[in-house]
């Protein structure tokens, strides 16, 4: 995409003026719960046929002087009926959830071509960008924090001193330059946060937040909505900001 095709929105993020070929992915593959319900229904049918065959054979060969206990037979039939009813209820619930998912998918179309921030580390730098909405959060306070920007080969192109407080999201202001002050080339990058604890050998967990443009919408095997961002599938629950 040529530089003239890029526009900078009010958040300082570059976006293309033309279509990016975004798409909504619709998967008809049964979810895990649907597959379990289908398997249970088939299993019940097979078992019920086997039960009827055995019951019929037993009735044909029963001793006329010692007939079968009808109460026990009725109890087994009732148990089969209850299981069948429960499976039928689950099947109808699966259909309702699928309808709800379709409605949610229509709502999620609003994410297409939007820039979003989410939990992650990789991002794409495009020519013309003036700001990258990067951030991180520490689970406990640190003695010092080093924030590295790495290229696609894992080489550190820029190291910065970060904030050390815990319980708050710290913004990372990167000007798309390396440690020597030279502008870097557009491409794939990632943010890496290395906190140091005041206590020897203690480990501090750092959660990083990155950004990207939504190019597709779909569902994973569990039916959860995922967004296609930077050639990766990101759960909708990981999205923190929509620009």
């Amino acid at each position: 995409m040529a530089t003239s095709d890029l526009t900078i929105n009010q958040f300082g993020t570059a976006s293309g003026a033309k279509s990016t070929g975004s798409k909504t992915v619709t998967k008809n593959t049964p979810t895990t719960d649907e597959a379990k319900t289908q398997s249970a229904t088939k299993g019940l049918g097979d078992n019920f046929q086997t039960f009827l065959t055995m019951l019929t054979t037993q009735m044909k060969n029963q001793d006329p002087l010692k007939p079968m206990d009808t109460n026990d037979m009725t109890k087994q039939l009732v148990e089969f009926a209850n299981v069948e009813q429960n499976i039928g209820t689950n099947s109808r619930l699966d259909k309702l959830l699928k309808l709800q998912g379709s409605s949610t998918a229509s709502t999620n179309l609003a994410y297409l071509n939007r820039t979003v921030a989410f939990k992650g580390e990789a991002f794409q730098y495009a020519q013309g960008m003036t700001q990258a909405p990067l951030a991180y959060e520490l689970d406990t306070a640190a003695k010092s924090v080093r924030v590295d920007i790495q290229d696609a080969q894992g080489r550190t192109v820029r190291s910065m001193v970060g904030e050390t407080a815990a319980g708050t999201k710290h913004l990372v202001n990167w000007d798309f330059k390396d440690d020597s002050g030279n502008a870097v080339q557009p491409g794939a990058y990632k943010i890496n946060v290395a906190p140091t604890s005041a206590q020897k050998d203690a480990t501090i967990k750092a959660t990083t937040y990155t950004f990207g443009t939504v190019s597709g919408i779909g569902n994973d095997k569990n039916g959860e909505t995922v967004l296609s961002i930077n050639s990766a599938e990101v759960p909708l629950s990981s999205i923190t900001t929509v620009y």
Side-chain angles (χ1 to χ4, degrees), residues 36-107:
K36 288 181 180 179
T37 300
Q38 293 174 4
S39 177
T41 302
K42 183 179 183 303
L44 177 65
D46 294 341
N47 291 335
F48 190 60
Q49 290 299 324
T50 302
F51 171 73
L52 289 179
T53 300
M54 294 177 61
L55 180 62
T56 302
T57 302
Q58 188 175 3
M59 292 181 68
K60 287 181 179 179
N61 297 280
Q62 67 179 329
D63 186 349
L65 300 178
K66 296 181 180 180
M68 292 178 57
D69 187 348
T70 56
N71 290 330
D72 185 54
M73 181 180 65
T74 302
K75 180 181 178 182
Q76 294 184 57
L77 289 173
V78 170
E79 288 178 350
F80 265 106
N82 287 336
V83 173
E84 183 179 19
Q85 185 177 21
N86 290 335
I87 293 177
T89 300
N90 289 339
S91 178
R92 286 186 287 273
L93 287 174
D94 288 338
K95 291 179 180 178
L96 287 175
L97 289 174
K98 202 165 187 177
L99 288 173
Q100 184 181 16
S102 298
S103 176
T104 302
S106 298
T107 303

Side-chain angles (χ1 to χ4, degrees), residues 90-200:
N90 289 339
S91 178
R92 286 186 287 273
L93 287 174
D94 288 338
K95 291 179 180 178
L96 287 175
L97 289 174
K98 202 165 187 177
L99 288 173
Q100 184 181 16
S102 298
S103 176
T104 302
S106 298
T107 303
N108 291 336
L109 287 174
Y111 288 105
L112 283 175
N113 293 325
R114 299 290 295 275
T115 298
V116 296
F118 57 94
K119 293 180 181 179
E121 57 181 17
F123 64 95
Q124 194 77 20
Y125 163 50
Q127 188 69 40
M129 281 186 176
T130 59
Q131 186 181 23
L134 303 170
Y136 68 91
E137 193 172 6
L138 304 176
D139 61 347
T140 57
K143 178 181 179 181
S144 63
V145 174
R146 189 187 76 248
V147 180
D148 296 331
I149 302 297
Q150 301 174 338
D151 61 15
Q153 287 71 43
R155 298 172 300 194
T156 300
V157 298
R158 180 70 175 273
S159 290
M160 297 170 283
V161 177
E163 300 291 333
T164 59
T168 184
K169 188 180 293 184
H170 302 290
L171 299 179
V172 177
N173 296 313
W174 181 43
D175 56 3
F176 306 107
K177 295 181 180 179
D178 60 18
D179 285 329
S180 299
N182 301 315
V184 300
Q185 294 297 316
Y189 292 87
K190 70 176 183 178
I191 177 175
N192 180 66
V193 176
T196 300
S197 175
Q199 300 179 354
K200 186 178 180 181

